[in-house]
Amino acid sequence: MSGIAAPRITERVDAITHISNAYLTKTPPIPRSVKIELTGRCNYNCTFCARSFRLRAQDEMDRGLFERLLREMRQDGVEEIGLFYLGESFLCDWLEEAIAFAKQECGFPYVFLTTNGSLAIADRLETCFRNGLDSLKFSYNYADEAQFVEVARVKPRLFDDMKANILAARAVRDKVAAETGHFCGLYASYIEYDGEQRARMMEAVAEITPFVDEVYALPLYNQADLVTDREKKLGWKPTAGNRGRLEALRDPLPCWSIFTEGHIAWDGKLSACCFDHDGRFHMADLTQVSFREGWNSLTFQTLRDAHLRKDVTGTACEQCVAYR
């Protein structure tokens, strides 16, 4: 929409992956940002994502739990709420209602969402935008349809659906912005592989760039060392841990995920890791304790202490090749 400049999503990403001195403690302040998972399911089975191993149950969050946690977190000072974690939130029938609850009932200043885009049809996007979504990011990680089928391991038509929805999103966003004054930023991220694959991705990304407000690259993550061997067999070079986006990589220790952002799975488990596909990073059960209690649990404090000492031997993080 002319006359409106979308905020740079990379500035928000970098603000979370950078650990300020105030958070470098076993008991850091309540995080400014939290991701909460509406569903653990996904309609893709990507080779680079350990969710496809189904190492833990994948279901939908109880709405009562969702609403309780959102109220708690907003009262505690959480400002940014992401309505996703490891699953695809457009599989959740009440996604639009969740956005409205976060914005209108709880008053979160910033509600954001990441999606693979295949189910983000225009009608649903319009409702999301009207209900107050502030940021929508598409994960666009496939050079073409053939690679999509090979990597995502689903029907090829979903590639066309994904791409069409990305291209249509801007017109829908601009229409809602013109009618309501509420502006949702549109973004895309992609995995920047190496060699020939990198060149192919650059061509693919160029096709969607005019339809979003900002695009940024991510390294090929090893997903807490769960998919390292599989990625190497494909000829790819994974990076260890989660060091942020490619142009602003952080030191692996201490890991920002443990200090500056909360991650809540669909079953209420508070995790220390953004790639907790097998449950080994569970720090608290939020069906039993408050978010504040879980954030400063003894389990969490012990893990943070190891990170502050830069020695995670014997912890859940030891399996990640970043720390070997």
Side-chain angles (χ1 to χ4, degrees):
M1 183 178 178
S2 60
I4 299 179
R8 293 183 62 82
I9 191 174
T10 49
E11 293 178 359
R12 287 188 178 272
V13 171
D14 294 349
I16 297 301
T17 59
H18 170 72
I19 311 173
S20 67
N21 289 334
Y23 286 84
L24 286 172
T25 170
K26 292 190 297 183
T27 55
I30 292 293
R32 192 174 78 241
S33 176
V34 174
K35 293 175 182 174
I36 187 167
E37 185 171 59
L38 304 185
T39 177
R41 298 175 293 124
C42 184
N43 58 334
Y44 287 7
N45 290 293
C46 297
T47 58
F48 56 74
C49 179
R51 193 210 61 83
S52 62
F53 290 135
R54 290 175 171 79
L55 299 173
R56 58 189 302 264
Q58 299 170 6
D59 211 328
E60 192 165 289
M61 176 167 274
D62 175 76
R63 289 187 68 168
L65 175 63
F66 170 80
E67 292 179 1
R68 191 210 97 200
L69 288 173
L70 256 66
R71 288 192 179 100
E72 283 182 8
M73 291 188 290
R74 185 67 192 114
Q75 290 173 359
D76 283 339
V78 175
E79 299 177 1
E80 304 178 5
I81 194 77
L83 299 179
F84 69 102
Y85 177 27
L86 301 175
E88 170 51 55
S89 293
F90 274 95
L91 285 170
C92 180
D93 292 339
W94 47 280
L95 167 62
E96 294 90 332
E97 296 171 34
I99 293 169
F101 184 82
K103 280 301 279 193
Q104 300 164 23
E105 294 293 325
C106 296
F108 281 93
Y110 187 75
V111 178
F112 63 105
L113 180 62
T114 289
T115 175
N116 64 36
S118 63
L119 302 173
I121 60 175
D123 288 349
R124 295 198 71 184
L125 286 181
E126 181 168 346
T127 305
C128 290
F129 298 152
R130 291 186 183 278
N131 285 1
L133 187 66
D134 295 291
S135 168
L136 178 65
K137 190 196 78 170
F138 296 98
S139 293
Y140 194 68
N141 300 314
Y142 321 92
D144 51 35
E145 183 182 276
Q147 185 177 75
F148 173 79
V149 171
E150 178 186 9
V151 174
R153 298 182 295 186
V154 291
K155 295 179 180 179
R157 66 173 178 79
L158 288 178
F159 179 79
D160 295 330
D161 292 345
M162 173 183 64
K163 191 171 180 179
N165 291 339
I166 295 174
L167 301 187
R170 191 181 188 102
V172 177
R173 187 275 307 273
D174 289 354
K175 169 191 171 185
V176 172
E179 293 175 358
T180 69
H182 179 73
F183 185 88
C184 178
L186 295 177
Y187 310 101
S189 67
Y190 65 96
I191 296 173
E192 186 170 279
Y193 306 86
D194 55 2
E196 179 184 349
Q197 175 62 15
R198 181 182 186 279
R200 293 171 65 199
M201 278 305 303
M202 293 300 97
E203 293 180 9
V205 169
E207 294 183 41
I208 67 167
T209 297
F211 298 90
V212 295
D213 300 306
E214 187 180 8
V215 180
Y216 66 96
L218 295 170
L220 180 64
Y221 298 124
N222 69 4
Q223 302 261 321
D225 201 24
L226 288 169
V227 295
T228 301
D229 292 339
R230 189 160 65 179
E231 290 173 335
K232 288 181 177 179
K233 288 179 181 178
L234 292 170
W236 298 340
K237 298 178 181 179
T239 185
N242 186 340
R243 299 175 58 199
R245 64 187 183 93
L246 202 62
E247 294 184 357
L249 295 175
R250 310 300 187 185
D251 291 336
L253 281 176
C255 179
W256 62 268
S257 179
I258 296 171
F259 294 88
T260 62
E261 185 173 67
H263 300 88
I264 305 173
W266 67 270
D267 56 2
K269 300 299 192 300
L270 177 63
S271 177
C273 182
C274 44
F275 299 128
D276 190 2
H277 293 282
D278 58 5
R280 66 184 132 118
F281 297 97
H282 289 169
M283 298 290 108
D285 183 353
L286 300 186
T287 67
Q288 304 298 316
V289 301
S290 69
F291 178 79
R292 179 177 288 276
E293 289 176 289
W295 184 249
N296 287 315
S297 69
L298 180 60
T299 307
F300 227 150
Q301 291 184 48
T302 300
L303 184 60
R304 290 191 185 114
D305 183 60
H307 275 252
L308 291 170
R309 290 185 285 104
K310 298 188 178 183
D311 180 5
V312 294
T313 305
T315 73
C317 299
E318 185 178 10
Q319 295 183 47
C320 181
V321 295
Y323 315 130
R324 287 180 180 173

